[in-house]
Amino acid sequence: MELKNYSLVVNKGVLSRLLQWVNLRPEEGERTWIMFAFYTTVSIGLRWAEDSTVALFLDQYGAGPLPWMYIASAVTGAGLVFVYSWLQKIFPLRWVVVAIAPCMVVPLIFLVLLREGLHLSYIAVILVFILRLWVDGLYVVNDLNTSIIANQIFNIREIKRTYPLVSSGLLVADVISGFSLPWILQFVKLEKVILIACVLIVLGSAILAYLSNKYRAAFPDAPQRQIPHEQASRYRRIQAPLRRYTWQLFAFVGLLQVIGLLVDFQYLRELKSNLGDRDLASFLGIFGGIVGLCELATQWFVSSRLIERIGVFFTAALLPISVGFVVPAAIALLNLFPALHSYGIFWGLVGLKFCDELLRYTFVVSSGPVLYQPIPERLRSHMQALSGGTAEAIATGGSGLLILATLFVCNRIVPTALQEWVFVGETVLAAATCLRVVWVLRSRYVDLLVLSAERGELSASTVGLRVFKQGVVKALGEKGSTADKHSCIELLAQIDSHGAAEVLAPLLLKLPPELQRQSLEVMFMGGANPAYISDVRRLIEQPPEKIDPEVLALALRYVWLAEENPNLSQLEEYLQARHHSLIRATAAALILRQGTPIQKVAATKTLQRMLTHQQERERINGVKALRETVYLQALRIHIPNLLQDESLRVRCAVLEMIAATRLEDYYSALIAALYYKSTRSTAMRALAKLENEALDMLLQLATNTYKPEIVRMYAWRTIAQIPTLEAIEALWLHLEKSWGATRYQILRSLLKVQKQPETSNRVDRFHQTRVESLIEQELKFLGEIYAAYIDLQKPPTLDNHSSSQRAVVVCELLQRSLLELEIDGRERLLLLLKLLYSPEKMQAAAFNLRSPSGTNIARGLEILEHTVTLPVKSLLLNILDKRSHQEKLHYLVEAELVEYQPKPVSERLKRMLSLDNFLSDWCLACCFHLAQISRIRLTSHEILLALRHPTGFVREAAIAYLNAVSHRVLLELLPKLQQDTHPLVATQVKELMRKYAPRRPSASNKDATVMRN
């Protein structure tokens, strides 16, 4: 579908178009260009220094000692990385990143000057080796420095767009230095080129100093060792998964370095055997320039878009796939033709180097910093230095040893013609291992993001049950706070309610009374089990002064319910007045359940005295006892009075008793109790116990729009607590038919159902299709919101200046209501996603997306990108991101979910009123106020719906509209509106009737109306 609104594609100027071409946003432009300038300047200097030192090294040593160079470079690189990491613990990070490069340039200048000043040939040869080594170290530090800076000033989503452009500074440097180096060599010697390179590196550091000062807030002020206590505690919580993730990153970076060095060795050895000194330097420069042009085009116009489309890990996997499998297969194919055999290896290795350079310095470099974003910010630069820089150094040394060992073996065993293929085979093996590491790394990436957001949840699936029970026994047996032990028992009940008695029964005598009571309640959750009667009976046999009355009552109930043939005569002794009221009530209830007629009469009299007793505690315990009785018999007559009892606790106890005994005559009292905050929670528990018996009553209440919204909300929550398939299906059915606040409450209710341990966290395929349809519906409605918001930016111009000003004010109010609708729509989208995917991941994503911080929003979007698999995933990410309404509407139109054509305010208002079921009450009222001021004609159907609306201020807005456009219709309706229960509407009607009292319409007048369809 074409975008019909050409105003959305406005002329944004040259700079905006340029940012769009390179996939940047305006707020990212300045930081990106400064970083690009810094990296390009330093990289030009490093490239000149590298090519010059490589030429000097190969001229002095040839390609043979290259493996030793790799080993020495590894040692130097590792040492520099540890120094870099150590400096962060002493100085603030901003000082370290700015000063490190100039400090390393000083020894480089000294080495060059020393070589020119000495006339001893053997010392000059050693200095060439050290020069080459130090330039490699500069490369390691500069790449690490750039990556750390990018992670500080860009968030996880910005890096995907900006770092490809920043890292393209190296490619620009390849082009400039590659084509300029042969020209410079015509005028100066290689040693002078290195000095010029040092000047450029210092200039780049000056640009970095400006950047770090301008964005000082992005860098921590304190050295890394000064970590706040709460952050250190947070690190300890994620230490284990963080360590695993870091090692996997270490392996990934190291294997990439191994692949690169194997390719580089084969490539340089082939060049040395075919080219001379100056020709080799020129070839390196021209080759670097050509590769740089290709890399530059890829990095500017392809990398960021491809990373956003297929993800970080798939783009990172392109290098091992190409260099390890595709190109070696092409080399083998070329060698099958005799005419190409002499050039097959040479040009094959050049092609291998070309692919390695192209993919390494585009997709891999762009993806690298993103992989460190899940690591907490305070630890990120330290981890990045150790895992990134150290991995490269160790891999460089390991590659050198591998090459030396391979050469040693090949010279003695492998024929000369096949020696090249040994290195190709090693490259393939390293690439295959790298692919495996990428796959494992991808599975850990989102998990660490979620843990970093500190939104994980504990469930039975994540706890070893046997080990956990052993921990509970140990925790309850040792000294410690009662609160901690209380939480321990509560967690045991959540994880294994049926097996909790096995743990708790032997510990009853050792626990304090409050924990004994809680333990017995948890044991009842699994049912009274005869296996634990002896443990509970030991509680009863204690002296009366040593046992808490509540504990004794629970123990009595447990023993007499668990025994097959209980001796009820022993319970009669507990009916005596000297015993605590709770014990008397428990004994009476047990006798009423299983006793003889004479025993039941005595028990009934005991309960009657308790139910009419003046003391509140007596009445409460008497009502509690009624829950256990099978037949209330003569005790029913006391229920009406107890429902009106002055004590809240008595009334709540009666509600629980009604549900426990299934007294249908009093179900209406449970519904009425939902209206009051004091009895609401008790009523919800009671109704949930009734299960399907209460379902119809609750649905009638929840779907009645004239009932208070808070009562309807708790009705939906109560339905969610009913553990039946019918209740869950009712929620799904009404989810599809509802909208707005009602849909939001049903979604919250369904998510509470999913959090129950016995419920699967994933919906089935049928419900998944339903959710996907609802997500598309929400996106379409968001499109209507954006279209209305854009059209309302041009308020209607009226003849009266005062009316025009009022129209502007009302338009602004309407736009604010639309923004509130957008927020509600985004929340519903996140709730719908929670139904489809891991609640832990979605909770972490939602928590970050609600944050005002751009970094947190980016983290939330990153979690969604690696979790959501819907066809509309990219559209969802754009809608949930911080983008303008024009951009979001453009994406919705491109996805063919909505159509947009600019409309005047009157047409747009009518379009919105046609969606009245989807609008909030405040938005609907604003629509009528705007229609009133602008004299927009509405249909009679729209007006009548507003006059019958359950919200008072919507009815008030509709009456005000009628007062402005149709006095006669209003006069006919005013007598019917006098009975309105809302004080705002009642006052408005009285004033209008007083205003129009002298004017009485003639009976012969026709019923003129302005309300036309």
Side-chain angles (χ1 to χ4, degrees):
M1 184 181 298
E2 294 184 0
L3 180 64
K4 297 182 179 180
N5 178 29
Y6 297 100
S7 65
L8 287 179
V9 191
V10 295
N11 183 12
K12 300 178 181 179
V14 177
L15 181 59
S16 297
R17 287 183 178 275
L18 177 60
L19 291 175
Q20 187 176 8
W21 286 342
V22 295
N23 197 29
L24 281 183
R25 297 186 185 178
E27 67 272 14
E28 302 162 355
E30 184 181 22
R31 287 172 289 164
T32 306
W33 294 123
I34 299 175
M35 275 285 291
F36 174 78
F38 146 70
Y39 194 47
T40 303
T41 306
V42 174
S43 297
I44 292 174
L46 284 175
R47 194 68 177 186
W48 281 348
E50 181 190 25
D51 289 346
S52 301
T53 54
V54 165
L56 287 171
F57 181 86
L58 291 175
D59 181 53
Q60 293 287 341
Y61 298 100
L66 278 176
W68 294 106
M69 170 59 67
Y70 295 153
I71 296 171
S73 178
V75 175
T76 305
L80 288 173
V81 167
F82 278 108
V83 170
Y84 188 92
S85 179
W86 173 71
L87 288 173
Q88 294 180 43
K89 296 180 180 180
I90 300 176
F91 303 103
L93 182 62
R94 190 171 69 88
W95 296 8
V96 176
V97 296
V98 171
I100 189 70
C103 289
M104 289 191 66
V105 162
V106 174
L108 189 63
I109 296 173
F110 174 76
L111 289 171
V112 173
L113 296 176
L114 184 63
R115 185 176 185 275
E116 287 189 343
L118 289 175
H119 301 287
L120 299 175
S121 59
Y122 65 91
I123 295 180
V125 170
I126 295 173
L127 289 175
V128 168
F129 187 90
I130 299 174
L131 276 172
R132 180 73 187 92
L133 200 62
W134 197 251
V135 171
D136 280 350
L138 260 171
Y139 256 112
V140 171
V141 171
N142 183 60
D143 290 341
L144 187 59
N145 214 26
T146 306
S147 181
I148 289 174
I149 296 164
N151 269 324
Q152 292 298 130
I153 65 174
F154 299 115
N155 63 44
I156 194 168
R157 300 292 293 178
E158 291 173 341
I159 280 183
K160 293 184 177 182
R161 292 184 295 269
T162 60
Y163 201 72
L165 185 59
V166 171
S167 61
S168 69
L170 181 62
L171 312 181
V172 174
D174 285 342
V175 175
I176 296 174
S177 63
F179 290 112
S180 62
L181 185 58
W183 177 78
I184 294 175
L185 287 173
Q186 295 177 5
F187 302 98
V188 298
K189 296 190 300 181
L190 288 172
E191 291 82 355
K192 301 293 185 186
V193 174
I194 298 174
L195 293 177
I196 298 172
C198 292
V199 176
L200 284 179
I201 294 171
V202 174
L203 177 61
S205 299
I207 298 173
L208 178 58
Y210 168 76
L211 174 69
S212 64
N213 185 64
K214 186 174 181 64
Y215 297 97
R216 184 188 295 265
F219 297 89
D221 294 328
Q224 200 171 63
R225 61 182 176 183
Q226 299 175 10
I227 299 177
H229 174 73
E230 63 274 10
Q231 295 217 13
S233 174
R234 176 184 176 187
Y235 169 66
R236 284 192 294 270
R237 289 194 293 273
I238 65 171
Q239 190 171 12
L242 182 61
R243 188 185 299 112
R244 289 193 296 269
Y245 184 78
T246 305
W247 277 112
Q248 289 157 3
L249 269 179
F250 187 95
F252 173 66
V253 174
L255 285 167
L256 286 177
Q257 186 72 358
V258 170
I259 294 171
L261 290 175
L262 286 173
V263 171
D264 187 63
F265 174 77
Q266 299 170 74
Y267 166 71
L268 289 178
R269 190 171 69 160
E270 197 67 25
L271 289 184
K272 178 60 180 174
S273 63
N274 289 274
L275 300 174
D277 176 18
R278 296 184 68 87
D279 290 338
L280 191 147
S282 298
F283 181 86
L284 287 175
I286 294 172
F287 178 80
I290 294 172
V291 174
L293 286 174
C294 297
E295 291 171 341
L296 200 57
T298 304
Q299 195 74 324
W300 280 6
F301 305 111
V302 179
S303 278
S304 62
R305 291 177 172 87
L306 191 65
I307 290 172
E308 283 192 312
R309 183 172 296 274
I310 70 173
V312 172
F313 295 96
F314 289 105
T315 51
L318 290 177
L319 186 145
I321 290 173
S322 301
V323 175
F325 301 100
V326 177
V327 178
I331 295 174
L333 187 63
L334 283 174
N335 280 272
L336 294 177
F337 300 96
L340 300 175
H341 183 73
S342 58
Y343 298 101
I345 290 292
F346 177 81
W347 290 111
L349 290 175
V350 171
L352 191 66
K353 180 65 175 177
F354 177 85
C355 289
D356 180 74
E357 290 265 334
L358 177 65
L359 297 174
R360 183 179 300 274
Y361 295 107
T362 54
F363 300 133
V364 174
V365 167
S366 301
S367 305
V370 182
L371 301 179
Y372 293 93
Q373 281 287 329
I375 300 173
E377 185 177 352
R378 274 282 186 177
L379 304 170
R380 188 183 302 147
S381 59
H382 178 67
M383 292 289 185
Q384 198 165 351
L386 291 179
S387 68
T390 310
E392 289 188 359
I394 294 175
T396 302
S399 300
L401 293 173
L402 176 64
I403 292 171
L404 283 175
T406 305
L407 289 173
F408 179 80
V409 173
C410 287
N411 291 333
R412 285 163 174 74
I413 300 174
V414 182
T416 305
L418 298 178
Q419 288 183 4
E420 293 87 352
W421 295 103
V422 174
F423 287 102
V424 172
E426 290 176 347
T427 306
V428 172
L429 183 61
T433 309
C434 186
L435 279 177
R436 172 62 182 166
V437 172
V438 169
W439 181 261
V440 176
L441 196 63
R442 180 175 179 267
S443 65
R444 301 285 185 185
Y445 177 76
V446 179
D447 293 338
L448 190 58
L449 272 177
V450 174
L451 286 173
S452 297
E454 297 185 308
R455 286 296 179 273
E457 294 182 2
L458 183 65
S459 65
S461 61
T462 60
V463 177
L465 199 54
R466 183 179 61 82
V467 177
F468 176 70
K469 287 182 177 180
Q470 292 175 355
V472 171
V473 173
K474 184 178 179 182
L476 295 178
E478 292 179 350
K479 293 182 179 180
S481 68
T482 304
D484 291 340
K485 294 181 179 181
H486 174 82
S487 301
C488 193
I489 296 174
E490 186 177 354
L491 187 59
L492 176 63
Q494 293 177 2
I495 293 177
D496 186 22
S497 59
H498 294 286
E502 180 185 358
V503 177
L504 298 175
L507 300 173
L508 286 174
L509 281 176
K510 302 176 183 178
L511 298 176
E514 57 268 26
L515 294 181
Q516 289 176 340
R517 182 178 65 253
Q518 184 190 9
S519 298
L520 285 168
E521 290 172 350
V522 171
M523 290 171 64
F524 267 115
M525 293 171 63
N529 192 331
Y532 308 115
I533 289 178
S534 59
D535 293 314
V536 180
R537 192 180 290 279
R538 281 197 288 269
L539 282 177
I540 301 175
E541 293 172 351
Q542 292 183 101
E545 63 275 6
K546 290 187 177 181
I547 186 169
D548 184 79
E550 292 188 38
V551 174
L552 178 58
L554 286 169
L556 286 173
R557 183 169 165 239
Y558 191 95
V559 169
W560 263 266
L561 289 178
E563 287 187 338
E564 294 182 3
N565 299 306
N567 185 2
L568 296 177
S569 60
Q570 295 180 5
L571 284 177
E572 291 185 79
E573 193 273 333
Y574 289 106
L575 296 179
Q576 302 300 321
R578 67 176 182 273
H579 290 288
H580 191 275
S581 61
L582 185 58
I583 298 173
R584 282 185 278 124
T586 301
L590 290 171
I591 291 172
L592 284 176
R593 177 188 287 267
Q594 298 173 309
T596 63
I598 296 176
Q599 290 174 329
K600 288 182 179 180
V601 169
T604 301
K605 289 181 179 179
T606 299
L607 287 177
Q608 284 179 335
R609 285 194 297 269
M610 294 180 67
L611 294 175
T612 57
H613 203 280
Q614 291 184 351
Q615 292 184 6
E616 178 193 52
R617 176 52 57 186
E618 293 277 339
R619 298 197 301 276
I620 290 175
N621 290 332
V623 173
K624 286 182 178 180
L626 296 182
R627 302 180 203 168
E628 309 301 327
T629 58
V630 180
Y631 302 103
L632 292 180
Q633 302 167 358
L635 300 173
R636 295 172 65 97
I637 61 174
H638 299 288
I639 294 176
N641 292 332
L642 291 171
L643 283 171
Q644 302 297 325
D645 197 281
E646 61 182 9
S647 169
L648 172 62
R649 288 185 288 181
V650 172
R651 297 198 300 272
C652 289
V654 175
L655 295 175
E656 293 176 349
M657 181 270 296
I658 290 171
T661 54
R662 295 292 200 275
L663 292 178
E664 296 184 13
D665 295 343
Y666 296 98
Y667 284 175
S668 58
L670 299 179
I671 296 295
L674 285 176
Y675 285 78
Y676 304 99
K677 184 178 180 180
S678 58
T679 56
R680 187 173 292 139
S681 59
T682 305
M684 289 174 66
R685 289 194 301 270
L687 288 166
K689 288 179 182 177
L690 295 177
E691 298 187 347
N692 288 341
E693 289 185 60
L695 187 56
D696 289 338
M697 294 185 297
L698 289 168
L699 285 174
Q700 290 178 9
L701 176 62
T703 55
N704 189 342
T705 57
Y706 290 92
K707 298 296 182 181
E709 185 174 344
I710 190 170
V711 177
R712 296 171 58 210
M713 175 186 74
Y714 282 105
W716 288 120
R717 292 189 181 182
T718 307
I719 293 172
Q721 294 178 14
I722 297 176
T724 63
L725 293 176
E726 290 82 0
I728 296 175
E729 187 55 37
L731 289 174
W732 280 103
L733 181 63
H734 286 84
L735 177 67
E736 296 175 311
K737 298 191 298 184
S738 62
W739 192 257
T742 302
R743 174 174 288 184
Y744 178 81
Q745 296 303 334
I746 296 175
L747 281 171
R748 293 287 301 273
S749 302
L750 277 172
L751 288 170
K752 289 182 180 295
V753 173
Q754 280 196 298
K755 286 183 179 179
Q756 296 173 5
E758 64 275 8
T759 308
S760 171
N761 283 334
R762 295 289 300 276
V763 298
D764 56 32
R765 181 60 194 167
F766 175 63
H767 287 149
Q768 183 175 346
T769 305
R770 284 172 148 179
V771 174
E772 291 176 5
S773 175
L774 291 173
I775 288 174
E776 287 196 9
Q777 189 183 49
E778 293 284 355
L779 290 172
K780 290 177 182 178
F781 179 60
L782 285 173
E784 296 288 346
I785 293 174
Y786 299 140
Y789 187 90
I790 293 169
D791 288 345
L792 287 170
Q793 289 178 343
K794 296 181 179 180
T797 303
L798 306 176
D799 297 336
N800 189 325
H801 177 71
S802 175
S803 298
S804 295
Q805 292 296 320
R806 291 177 60 198
V808 171
V809 173
V810 175
C811 273
E812 290 178 355
L813 290 174
L814 183 52
Q815 283 183 306
R816 290 180 191 173
S817 69
L818 290 173
L819 293 179
E820 293 174 358
L821 282 178
E822 184 204 9
I823 294 173
D824 294 341
R826 287 158 55 98
E827 286 293 322
R828 289 193 296 270
L829 282 174
L830 292 172
L831 292 177
L832 287 167
L833 290 175
K834 280 187 182 181
L835 290 172
L836 295 178
Y837 302 104
S838 164
E840 292 84 2
K841 292 179 181 178
M842 291 299 103
Q843 178 66 19
F847 173 78
N848 282 283
L849 287 171
R850 295 188 189 104
S851 170
S853 166
T855 301
N856 290 342
I857 292 173
R859 187 181 292 270
L861 292 173
E862 189 71 7
I863 294 173
L864 290 181
E865 181 178 353
H866 290 273
T867 306
V868 176
T869 57
L870 298 175
V872 294
K873 179 176 75 172
S874 61
L875 181 58
L876 277 171
L877 295 177
N878 286 322
I879 294 298
L880 295 172
D881 200 357
K882 276 190 173 181
R883 293 182 179 268
S884 66
H885 297 99
Q886 288 85 351
E887 285 182 289
K888 293 180 180 180
L889 180 58
H890 177 71
Y891 288 122
L892 288 166
V893 172
E894 277 189 337
E896 300 186 358
L897 286 179
V898 296
E899 293 183 1
Y900 175 67
Q901 187 173 5
K903 294 181 180 180
V905 173
S906 58
E907 294 298 320
R908 180 56 63 186
L909 195 66
K910 291 178 181 179
R911 171 62 182 168
M912 290 175 64
L913 288 173
S914 68
L915 304 169
D916 61 320
N917 289 333
F918 300 90
L919 302 180
S920 66
D921 298 345
W922 176 238
C923 183
L924 189 60
C926 289
C927 288
F928 272 92
H929 285 301
L930 183 60
Q932 170 198 349
I933 296 170
S934 306
R935 293 293 196 274
I936 298 172
R937 297 185 179 277
L938 305 178
T939 65
S940 57
H941 175 71
E942 293 165 348
I943 298 172
L944 288 174
L945 284 178
L947 290 173
R948 296 179 184 138
H949 200 278
T951 304
F953 58 77
V954 176
R955 300 197 297 273
E956 183 267 343
I959 294 171
Y961 171 79
L962 280 178
N963 183 42
V965 300
S966 179
H967 291 166
R968 293 185 178 180
V969 173
L970 178 63
L971 289 173
E972 290 183 4
L973 293 176
L974 281 178
K976 301 177 183 179
L977 297 173
Q978 288 184 89
Q979 306 302 320
D980 198 291
T981 56
H982 198 282
L984 176 67
V985 180
T987 303
Q988 181 190 30
V989 170
K990 287 180 182 179
E991 291 179 356
L992 290 173
M993 292 190 72
R994 195 161 43 244
K995 177 181 178 181
Y996 296 115
R999 299 170 57 186
R1000 298 185 179 277
S1002 173
S1004 61
N1005 289 340
K1006 294 182 179 181
D1007 182 21
T1009 179
V1010 297
M1011 298 178 294
R1012 298 176 182 176
N1013 293 320

